[in-house]
C-alpha cells in the first residue's frame, strides 16, 4: 500500500468525520458532543484502517512481519523462559529426528541392491545341536550341489571371510578380504566403480588370482589411481591381478549385518574368487537371487528337493540340514535390532509429547501472564484475529528457533552415532539425516503448542472482557480453566516421565547385570590380536587323522616365546577362537563310555571346539577348576590331551570327576579314520563365547600341537601384561616380526573392547533410553515448577491472609509441597499402567531382570514423585517467606 | 449481545451494504463516501444502523473486483474529494445480484406467509 493512498484515505475519513460533526453541530450539539457523536456513528477508524491494510496487502505479509518483530521483542523480554522453550524444542526435535533417521535408514530404506527383495541368505541349520547361532556355515560340496540343482534361484554365491597380508616382506598390511564364488557380484546385481568383477570363469585355477578392491582400499592404498587395474598385488605371498574396484557404497558382507560366528569384518577390503572347496570344514555363507516371482516359501521347497540330492551324494550329512534356513537378506541385515529400535521410537515419541506439553505450557504461561494486556487491547478494538496472529507469531518464532537448534543437534548426534555408535548396529554406514522427520517433529510440536494454547484463549473469550479486566490484576484466585489445563498437561508429563524412567531403569539394570554376569574370564589388561599365515609359505598337509603344519607350529612357537620373553608380559597364548571374538567352531565327538543326553534329533553329541596353547587360560584369566592347563610337554607326539569346561564335564560325566576320562572327535559309528582318544587333563570355568547373556555351552579345548582339524590360516593371540596398551602392542609387533617379518598383526583389541563390542547394542539402547529418561525428568521439573510457581504468585494474598490468621511458614510450605506431591501422585497413577505395558514391550531387550521388576518400578515411581516434590520446593519456600504485612498492605 | 451474533448479523449486512452501494452509484451517479452514507441512511429509514466507516471497506472491496472506479474531484462545497462511480462490470454484477436478492426475497416472503395447517 503506498503512502499516498494511505494519506488520501485518511483525508477521506477526516472529511467524512468533519461533515458528520458539522451535521451534529447544526442539530445544536456542543462541539465536543458533536465530535463524539460523529466518531460513534463512523465507527472504529483504526480498525477500518487495519481492515483496509489486510485487504490491500498480499496475504497481509506486512502484518506478519510486524507480528514477528513484536514476538521477537516479547521473547527477548523473558530470555530465560525463551531459552528454556527453545532448549525443550531442540531436545524434542533433535532426539526425534535422530531416532527417526536411524529408523528410516535401518528399517525403511531399501537395501542398496537392485530388486533387493529377491536376495536371500541360505544357512546351514543344526536344530539338534546347541550352537548358539541358528545360522551355520555350509560345506563347499553341499554348495556345489545346491548351485547345480536349484530351480528357485537365478544365481547362488558362496563366500567366506579370508585375511590377506598385502605386500612383500618389508611393510605388510593385513586386509580383510572375502573369498566368493563366481556369481557373487552377479547375484547382488552391483556395478563396479572401474574395471570389472570376477565371474564364474574365474573359479578355474589359472584365472583365479584376480582381486576386486573396495573403494576405501583403492583410495587409501592407491590414491584412487585408475591405473590400478592390471596391477599385480602380493596377497598372502601370491600374485593377484587387480581387475576392478567396487562402487563406493558397496560393502558386502558387513560384519554387523551377518551372524557373528562367520567373523566378517566391519567392511571388506577386497574380494577374490573362490572355487567351492571340496574338503576342509563347512565355512561358507550363501547368498542367492531368487528368480523373478518366486516367493521364499517356494525356494524352501526347492531347497528341500536339493537337500534330497545332497543326502544321496554325501551320506555324511546327517545331523545338519544345510540350506534349510532361508532368510531374506533384508531381514538378515536388520536382524534383531527391530525390536530395540521400535522401543526407542516409542520412547522418543514420548519425549516429543513431553516437549509438546512443555512448549504448550510455556505459551500458556506467556499468554496468561499477558492476558490483561491482551484484554485491554481487545477492549480497545484489537481484532481477535490480530491478537491471535501475535500469539501465533510468538509460537512460530519459538518453534523456528527450537527447530533449527534441534536439526543442528540431530545432525551432530548422528555424526556422533556414526563415529562412536554401536559397532553392531546394522547399516550404520548408510546413516543419513532424515530432514523430513525433523520437519514432522517440528510440525507436530508447533501444532500441539498452538492448539493447546488456544484452549484457554477460547475459554477466556466466552467471558466478558470486563470481568477479565477486573480479575486480571487483582489477587482473586482466577484463571481456573487455565490452571486446570496446565495441571492436566503436567500430570500427563509426569506420567510420560514415569514410563521413560521405568524403561531406562530396566535397561540400565539389565546392562549392569550383563556386565556383572560371570564370564569365566576376567577382562584385566589383556590384548588380543590376529595373525594370518599365508598357505603358500605355511603349507598344510592333510593326513589320515588330521593336518600337519610344521611351519605354522614353528612360527607360533617362536612368536609365543618372543612375546612371553617381553618384560611385563605375564602370560601369552593362542586360542582359536577366543571368547567374545565372535568366531565359532563346533565338532561332533564321542565319549568313551555311555552317551550323554542328546537334543531331540541329534545322533552324536556336539560341543564347542577351541584350539589353545599353554597360558591361553592364564592370559584370559580363566580358572582351571581341576587338573592342569596345557604345557609345553603336550607335543605332537605325546599323549593326546583335552581340557573340558564345566558345562561339558557336567553334561558327559555328571556327578563324577572328568579327569582321566577319554573322548575322541568324530561320530559314534565312524571307525575310520580312527581319531585318537584324548584324555581329559583339566576342567576349566565356563567362558562366555559370544554374548554376555548366553547360557554356557559344553566346550572342549585341545592343544594346538595335537592334530586339530582346523587350519592355522588365522590365529588369535591373547597377551596379558602390565604394560600400557599401546606400548604392549608395539612390543608385540616387534616380537611377531622377529618370528616372521612378513606377518602383520591385525584386529588388535583389548579384552575390555571385546566385552564392550559384545554389549554395544545393549549400550546403545540403554544410553538412548537413559538420556530420554533424564530429558523427560528435566522437562518435567521445569513444567511442575512453572505450574506451582504460577499458583504461588496467584495466591500471594491468600498466603498473606493465612499467615495473618496464624499459619506458620511451615504450614504454607507444606501447602505447596503437598501440591507437588499430589501432582506427582496423579502422574504416577496416570502413568503406572503405561509403564508396565512399556516395560513388557522391552522384555526382549532385558537380561536377568523381569519387565515387572518391582524394585525398578518402585524406584521409578519414587524418582518421579521426588522430582515433582523437588520442583515445588523453590516456589514453596518463596510462599513460606511471604510476609503477611507486605501482602495485606498492598 | 454475544460477539458471535454481531458477526453473523454484520455478515448479512455486509452483502446488503455492498448491493446498496452499487445500486446507489448506479442510480445517482458518482458519489463520495459521505454522500453514499447519507443516501443509504435515508433509504434504509435508519433500519440499517451501521458503522458508517464500513462504507469505505465495502467500496474498497468492490473496487478490487473492478466494479467501482474512483477518481478525485471537487465536491459541492468546493473541496477535493474522492468520487466513486459504477463501472460496466459493476452494472452487470448489480443486475445479477439484484435478481438474486429479489428471487430470495420472494421465496422468503412466500415462506413467511405460510400458515399453519390445522
Amino acid at each position: 500500500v503506498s503512502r499516498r493512498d494511505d494519506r488520501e484515505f485518511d483525508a477521506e475519513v477526516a472529511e467524512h468525520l468533519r461533515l458528520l460533526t458539522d451535521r451534529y453541530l447544526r442539530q445544536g450539539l456542543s462541539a465536543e458532543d458533536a465530535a463524539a457523536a460523529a466518531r460513534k456513528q463512523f465507527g472504529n477508524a483504526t480498525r477500518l484502517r487495519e481492515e483496509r491494510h489486510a485487504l490491500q496487502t498480499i496475504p497481509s505479509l506486512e502484518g506478519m512481519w510486524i507480528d514477528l518483530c513484536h514476538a521477537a521483542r516479547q521473547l527477548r523480554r523473558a530470555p530465560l523462559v525463551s531459552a528454556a522453550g527453545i532448549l525443550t524444542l531442540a531436545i524434542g526435535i533433535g532426539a526425534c529426528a535422530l531416532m527417526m533417521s536411524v529408523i528410516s535408514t535401518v528399517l525403511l530404506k531399501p537395501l542398496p541392491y537392485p530388486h533387493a527383495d529377491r536376495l536371500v541368505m541360505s544357512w546351514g541349520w543344526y536344530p539338534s545341536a546347541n550352537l548358539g547361532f541358528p545360522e551355520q556355515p555350509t560345506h563347499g560340496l553341499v554348495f556345489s550341489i545346491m548351485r547345480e540343482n536349484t530351480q528357485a534361484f537365478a544365481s547362488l554365491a558362496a563366500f567366506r571371510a579370508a585375511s590377506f597380508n598385502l605386500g612383500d616382506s618389508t611393510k605388510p598390511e593385513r586386509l580383510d578380504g572375502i573369498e566368493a564364488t563366481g556369481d557373487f557380484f552377479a547375484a547382488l546385481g552391483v556395478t563396479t566403480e572401474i574395471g570389472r568383477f570376477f565371474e564364474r570363469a574365474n573359479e578355474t585355477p589359472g584365472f583365479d588370482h584376480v582381486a576386486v578392491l573396495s573403494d576405501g582400499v583403492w583410495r587409501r592404498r592407491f590414491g584412487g589411481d585408475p591405473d590400478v587395474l592390471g596391477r599385480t598385488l602380493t596377497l598372502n605371498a601370491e600374485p593377484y591381478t587387480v581387475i576392478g574396484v567396487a562402487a563406493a557404497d558397496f560393502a558386502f558382507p558387513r560384519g554387523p549385518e551377518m551372524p557373528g560366528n562367520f567373523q566378517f569384518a566391519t567392511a571388506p577390503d577386497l574380494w577374490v574368487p573362490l572355487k567351492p572347496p571340496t574338503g576342509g570344514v563347512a565355512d561358507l555363507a550363501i547368498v542367492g537371487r531368487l528368480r523373478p516371482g518366486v516367493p521364499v516359501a517356494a525356494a524352501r521347497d526347492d531347497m528341500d528337493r536339493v537337500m534330497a540330492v545332497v543326502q544321496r551324494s554325501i551320506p555324511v550329512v546327517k545331523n545338519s540340514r544345510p540350506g534349510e534356513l532361508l532368510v531374506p537378506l533384508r531381514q538378515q541385515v536388520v536382524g534383531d535390532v527391530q525390536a530395540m529400535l521400535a522401543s526407542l521410537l516409542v520412547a522418543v515419541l514420548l519425549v516429543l509429547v513431553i516437549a509438546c506439553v512443555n512448549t504448550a505450557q510455556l505459551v500458556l504461561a506467556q499468554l496468561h501472564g499477558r492476558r490483561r494486556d491482551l484484554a485491554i487491547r481487545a477492549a480497545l478494538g484489537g481484532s481477535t484475529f490480530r491478537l491471535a496472529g501475535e500469539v501465533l507469531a510468538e509460537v512460530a518464532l519459538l518453534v523456528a528457533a527450537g527447530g533449527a537448534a534441534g536439526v543442528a543437534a540431530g545432525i551432530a548426534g548422528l555424526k556422533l552415532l556414526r563415529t562412536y555408535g554401536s559397532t553392531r548396529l546394522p547399516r550404520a554406514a548408510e546413516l543419513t539425516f532424515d530432514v523430513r522427520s525433523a520437519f514432522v517433529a517440528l510440525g507436530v510440536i508447533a501444532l500441539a503448542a498452538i492448539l493447546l494454547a488456544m484452549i484457554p484463549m477460547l475459554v477466556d473469550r466466552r467471558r466478558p472482557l470486563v470481568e477479565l479486566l477486573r480479575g486480571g490484576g487483582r489477587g482473586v484466585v482466577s484463571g481456573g480453566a487455565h490452571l486446570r489445563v496446565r495441571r492436566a498437561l503436567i500430570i500427563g508429563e509426569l506420567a510420560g516421565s514415569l514410563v521413560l524412567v521405568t524403561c531406562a531403569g530396566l535397561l540400565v539394570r539389565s546392562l549392569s547385570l550383563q556386565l556383572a554376569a560371570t564370564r569365566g574370564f576376567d577382562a584385566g589388561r589383556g590384548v588380543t590380536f590376529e595373525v594370518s599365515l599365508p598357505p603358500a609359505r605355511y603349507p598344510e598337509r592333510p593326513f589320515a587323522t588330521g593336518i600337519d603344519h610344521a611351519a605354522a607350529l614353528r612360527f607360533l612357537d617362536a612368536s609365543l616365546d618372543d612375546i612371553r620373553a617381553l618384560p611385563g608380559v605375564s602370560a601369552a597364548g593362542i586360542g582359536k577362537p577366543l571368547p567374545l571374538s565372535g568366531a565359532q567352531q563346533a565338532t561332533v565327538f564321542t565319549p568313551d563310555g555311555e552317551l550323554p543326553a542328546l537334543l531331540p534329533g541329534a545322533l552324536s553329541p556336539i560341543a564347542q571346539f577351541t584350539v589353545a596353547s599353554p597360558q591361553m587360560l592364564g592370559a584370559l584369566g580363566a580358572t582351571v577348576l581341576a587338573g592342569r592347563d596345557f604345557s609345553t610337554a603336550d607335543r605332537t607326539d605325546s599323549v593326546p590331551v583335552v581340557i573340558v569346561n564345566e558345562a561339558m564335564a557336567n553334561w558327559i560325566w555328571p556327578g563324577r570327576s572328568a579327569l582321566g576320562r577319554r573322548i575322541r572327535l568324530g561320530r559314534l559309528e565312524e571307525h575310520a579314520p580312527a581319531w585318537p582318544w584324548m584324555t581329559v587333563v583339566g576342567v576349566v570355568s565356563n567362558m562366555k563365547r559370544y554374548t554376555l547373556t548366553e547360557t554356557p555351552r559344553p566346550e572342549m579345548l585341545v592343544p594346538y600341537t595335537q592334530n586339530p582339524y582346523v587350519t592355522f590360516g588365522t590365529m588369535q593371540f591373547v597377551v596379558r601384561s602390565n604394560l600400557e596398551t599401546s606400548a604392549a602392542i608395539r612390543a608385540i609387533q616387534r616380537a611377531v616380526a622377529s618370528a616372521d617379518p612378513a606377518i602383520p598383526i591385525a584386529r588388535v583389541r583389548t579384552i575390555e573392547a571385546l566385552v564392550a563390542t559384545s554389549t554395544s547394542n545393549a549400550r546403545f539402547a540403554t544410553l538412548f533410553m537413559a538420556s530420554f529418561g533424564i530429558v523427560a525428568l528435566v522437562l518435567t521439573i521445569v513444567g511442575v515448577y512453572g505450574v506451582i510457581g504460577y499458583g504461588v504468585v496467584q495466591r500471594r494474598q491468600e498466603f498473606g491472609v493465612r499467615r495473618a490468621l496464624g499459619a506458620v511458614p511451615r504450614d504454607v510450605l507444606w501447602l505447596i509441597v503437598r501440591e507437588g506431591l499430589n501432582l506427582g501422585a496423579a502422574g504416577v497413577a496416570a502413568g503406572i499402567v503405561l509403564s508396565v505395558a512399556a516395560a513388557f514391550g522391552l522384555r526382549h531387550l532385558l537380561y536377568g531382570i523381569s519387565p515387572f521388576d518391582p524394585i525398578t518400578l518402585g524406584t521409578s515411581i519414587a524418582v518421579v514423585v521426588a522430582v515433582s516434590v523437588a520442583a515445588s520446593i523453590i516456589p514453596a519456600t518463596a510462599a513460606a517467606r511471604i510476609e503477611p504485612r507486605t501482602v495485606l498492605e498492598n | 449481545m454475544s460477539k458471535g451474533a454481531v458477526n453473523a448479523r454484520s455478515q448479512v449486512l455486509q452483502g446488503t451494504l455492498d448491493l446498496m452501494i452499487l445500486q446507489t452509484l448506479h442510480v445517482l451517479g458518482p458519489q463520495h463516501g459521505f454522500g453514499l452514507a447519507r443516501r443509504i441512511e435515508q433509504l434504509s429509514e435508519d433500519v440499517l444502523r451501521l458503522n458508517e466507516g464500513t462504507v469505505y471497506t465495502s467500496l474498497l472491496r468492490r473496487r478490487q473486483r473492478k466494479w467501482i472506479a474512483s477518481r478525485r474531484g471537487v465536491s459541492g462545497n468546493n473541496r477535493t474529494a474522492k468520487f466513486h462511480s459504477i463501472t460496466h462490470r459493476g452494472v452487470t454484477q448489480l443486475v445479477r445480484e439484484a435478481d438474486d436478492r429479489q428471487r430470495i426475497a420472494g421465496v422468503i416472503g412466500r415462506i413467511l406467509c405460510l400458515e399453519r395447517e390445522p
Side-chain angles (χ1 to χ4, degrees), chain A residues 119 147 342 346 433 520 616 700 750 775 779:
Chain A
L119 292 173
R147 181 160 79 170
V346 172
F433 188 73
M616 180 201 84
M700 68 174 90
T750 60
V775 164
L779 293 182

Side-chain angles (χ1 to χ4, degrees), chain A residues 16 18 41-42 48 55-56, chain B residues 41 52-53 56-57 60 79:
Chain A
H16 193 124
R18 196 184 59 78
Q41 186 169 355
F42 189 80
L48 196 66
L55 270 175
Q56 290 198 332
Chain B
E41 193 181 38
E52 279 183 32
Y56 292 95
T57 319
L60 181 62
R79 283 170 166 275

Side-chain angles (χ1 to χ4, degrees), chain A residues 4-5 8-9 12-13 15-16 18-20 23 40-44 48 51-52 55-56 384, chain B residues 3 32-34 37-38 41 50-54 56-57 60-61 63-64 72 77 79 82 84:
Chain A
R4 203 174 61 92
D5 269 4
E8 265 182 28
F9 177 76
E12 209 173 354
V13 170
E15 176 70 7
H16 193 124
R18 196 184 59 78
L19 291 168
L20 277 176
R23 219 161 62 124
K40 191 171 169 223
Q41 186 169 355
F42 189 80
N44 188 338
L48 196 66
E51 275 175 19
R52 186 167 158 276
L55 270 175
Q56 290 198 332
T384 318
Chain B
K3 219 168 175 180
H32 50 68
F34 184 77
R38 297 287 70 74
E41 193 181 38
L50 56 115
N51 286 331
E52 279 183 32
T54 49
Y56 292 95
T57 319
L60 181 62
R61 223 178 355 250
R63 192 163 69 210
Q64 280 178 339
R72 293 160 64 78
N77 49 9
R79 283 170 166 275
K82 215 172 199 173
H84 310 277

